[in-house]
Structure formats: structure tokens, C-alpha cells
Amino acid sequence: MRISKAKILKYAAMGIIAACIATFFLKKEKSQGHPRDYAEIAAEKIIRVATEYNSISFYVDGDTLSGFHYELIEAFARDRGWKAAITPEMSFDKRLEGLAEDKFDVIAYGILATSELKDSLLLTTPIVLNKQVLVQRKATSPTDSLFVKSQLDLAGKTLHVVKGSPSILRIHNLGNEIGDTIYIQEIDKYGSEQLISLVAHGDIDYAVCDESIARAVVDSLPQIDINTDISFTQFYSWAVSKQSPVLLDSLNAWLQTFRSSNEFKLIYRKYYSPSDKK
């Protein structure tokens, strides 16, 4: 389907906001040629972080910066006397490129551990449990041919995902499991929430994203359905370069302690347990 000019402008504006935030909070330096490890970061006392702009990871709430991964990485930096320079990057591939090119020290975003990613990245100890879900519009009638009732109905369908997303491997495997082809359309310029909006407004029919992100927006988009699982519930982690093993050890040691703290429990409930919110 063709996307209306008004909607294109809306989504473009969201991207511009993210870019402005990045410009304001981070002066990008030229690549030093290799990813930094803990000692170099500690010397500068600034850790450079990539994440996604969405209702779970990082967003602007009035005049306040919020987000689960934002609050966690800020706490890590605070406990070391550092500052965190946050860059919201919608493209998963560009986050990986930034890590390899020394633009970022860590990707503070829920990353599903796949064999492919383990070959190219160092993943932290698991931080949260999550899973991939299908985002579609609710059925308009009992015979609605577009509505997917089970994974078997995905045969021949085209699912839209953020470019480079680890969910691509899972969708390929799911196609093998159901014995049919599931087509994948990778989207480079939009993040998960923008894909959900495209589904809700009828511009695309299906998207795949993290359940936590889908649940964060489902109340404001009552026309969408997110009840078909694409994957099992799995652990999600942060990532650093393979050239940053000491940084990985530091993050893991901190996470092991911080995840048992009351501060972590409060942050977790704030973003993953809506019923606990005031």
C-alpha cells in the first residue's frame, strides 16, 4: 500500500526528533580506528551508548529523558563517576556499524542472543526476558483473510522488520517449521514503534517486534493485535565489541549486583509492569 504524504511527514518528524536528541547529547568524535575498552573509557569518563528511540528503551517525556535501558546505563555510568552520551539510532545495522567504527562503546538495547551475533559481538549477562510477536490489525470479521490466527497462517505472508533485526533468523526458522515460505521485508529508516504505527494505519499488514515495545503502545492503538507469538520467551542482553572484553567484564559484574537491588526492581516495574504504575 502507498503511504500518505501526511504519514510520511509524521514518521520523518519522529526521526528528526531522534536525530536532534543525538546531536544535543553527543558530539561525535572521529573514529579512532578501533573500539575502545574499559581503560580508554575510564580515562575520558564518558561512555558512548547506542539505543533505540521507543517507549521502552529511551524517549523524551516532557522535559525529562526516560526509558528502561536509558536509566540502567545512566546508573552504570553514575556508579563509576562517568557520564553516558546517548545516541538514539533506529537502525539495528547502524548500531552494529557504530560499535565496530568506535562511535559507540555499548549497545544498550535488548538484543536477542543468536549464534550469528555471538560470532561478531560480546553479549552481557541477560538483563530481561522478552519475545518476538506478530503485530497485525484485529480481524474485521470471522472470515477476515488477512488475520493470522496461528503461526501456520504465516505461510506466504510478508513480515516487516527493522533492518538487521535478530528476529530475521527466527522467522526463517519458523518458515522451516511450518514447511512454507514466510517473506521478510527489512525496513531501514523506521524503528519498531514506527512499524507498529504503519500496521495500525493500514500501510503495511504485518510487523514483528519485541513484545515489551508492542505492549507499551497497544493501549493507544486499540486496532492492533499482538497475540501471535513469533518466538519463545528468551533472555535479552546488551552488546559490546569483541575488542572490549574488560568493558564486558565490568558491565557483567555491575549487572550481577545491580539486578538484585531495589533500584533495579523499581526501574523494571516502571517499564515492564504497567499495572504497577501510578
Side-chain angles (χ1 to χ4, degrees):
M1 295 183 179
R2 298 187 64 184
I3 306 175
S4 70
K5 185 175 180 181
K7 289 173 184 172
I8 290 174
L9 292 173
K10 173 185 174 183
Y11 301 135
M14 295 176 75
I16 291 170
I17 290 172
C20 289
I21 293 171
T23 301
F24 185 79
F25 287 95
L26 175 63
K27 266 191 175 179
K28 290 187 176 180
E29 300 178 358
K30 291 183 179 180
S31 173
Q32 298 173 1
H34 65 88
R36 303 190 302 174
D37 206 349
Y38 187 90
E40 293 169 283
I41 300 168
E44 187 183 11
K45 295 187 177 181
I46 297 175
I47 185 167
R48 303 192 298 249
V49 184
T51 190
E52 182 177 295
Y53 189 91
N54 62 51
S55 300
I56 292 293
S57 296
F58 173 67
Y59 62 95
V60 178
D61 183 11
D63 58 356
T64 303
L65 295 177
S66 302
F68 176 76
H69 296 290
Y70 166 75
E71 292 200 31
L72 252 61
I73 198 65
E74 281 282 331
F76 172 75
R78 175 203 66 204
D79 289 350
R80 272 153 182 73
W82 300 350
K83 291 184 179 181
I86 313 291
T87 298
E89 175 55 71
M90 306 308 280
S91 167
F92 186 82
D93 275 356
K94 288 182 180 178
R95 286 175 226 145
L96 297 181
E97 290 171 8
L99 199 64
E101 296 171 358
D102 190 29
K103 293 179 181 177
F104 311 128
D105 302 311
V106 59
I107 299 175
Y109 177 78
I111 298 174
L112 175 63
T114 65
S115 56
E116 184 180 23
L117 287 179
K118 286 180 179 178
D119 287 340
S120 59
L121 299 171
L122 294 176
L123 298 176
T124 66
T125 185
I127 298 174
V128 293
L129 283 166
N130 212 338
K131 62 183 176 182
Q132 300 285 308
V133 297
L134 178 73
V135 180
Q136 62 179 331
R137 290 179 297 283
K138 291 178 179 177
T140 57
S141 71
T143 58
D144 187 341
S145 61
L146 285 177
F147 188 74
V148 172
K149 301 181 182 66
S150 72
Q151 292 178 347
L152 292 174
D153 294 335
L154 292 171
K157 300 291 195 299
T158 298
L159 310 185
H160 293 74
V161 301
V162 174
K163 187 175 181 180
S165 169
S167 64
I168 293 170
L169 179 60
R170 172 55 195 157
I171 296 169
H172 283 310
N173 291 337
L174 184 56
N176 293 331
E177 291 169 16
I178 68 174
D180 211 326
T181 301
I182 302 173
Y183 299 100
I184 299 171
Q185 181 68 50
E186 296 185 61
I187 305 298
D188 186 35
K189 58 183 177 179
Y190 297 145
S192 298
E193 285 193 353
Q194 286 79 18
L195 292 184
I196 295 172
S197 293
L198 288 171
V199 172
H201 293 99
D203 299 304
I204 60 177
D205 291 323
Y206 310 105
V208 174
C209 70
D210 292 347
E211 181 186 39
S212 59
I213 295 175
R215 292 204 176 280
V217 300
V218 70
D219 288 342
S220 61
L221 297 171
Q223 67 269 47
I224 66 170
D225 176 277
I226 59 171
N227 295 315
T228 300
D229 293 345
I230 296 298
S231 72
F232 298 109
T233 299
Q234 297 169 287
F235 283 111
Y236 283 60
S237 305
W238 289 349
V240 300
S241 166
K242 282 211 164 186
Q243 297 182 49
S244 308
V246 182
L247 175 59
L248 177 73
D249 290 344
S250 178
L251 283 166
N252 282 341
W254 180 82
L255 284 167
Q256 186 174 359
T257 301
F258 191 74
R259 287 185 77 243
S260 62
S261 69
N262 288 331
E263 184 178 359
F264 176 83
K265 292 171 185 175
L266 288 171
I267 294 172
Y268 182 87
R269 285 200 299 268
K270 183 176 178 181
Y271 298 101
Y272 284 94
S273 302
S275 60
D276 292 341
K277 293 181 181 179
K278 291 182 180 180

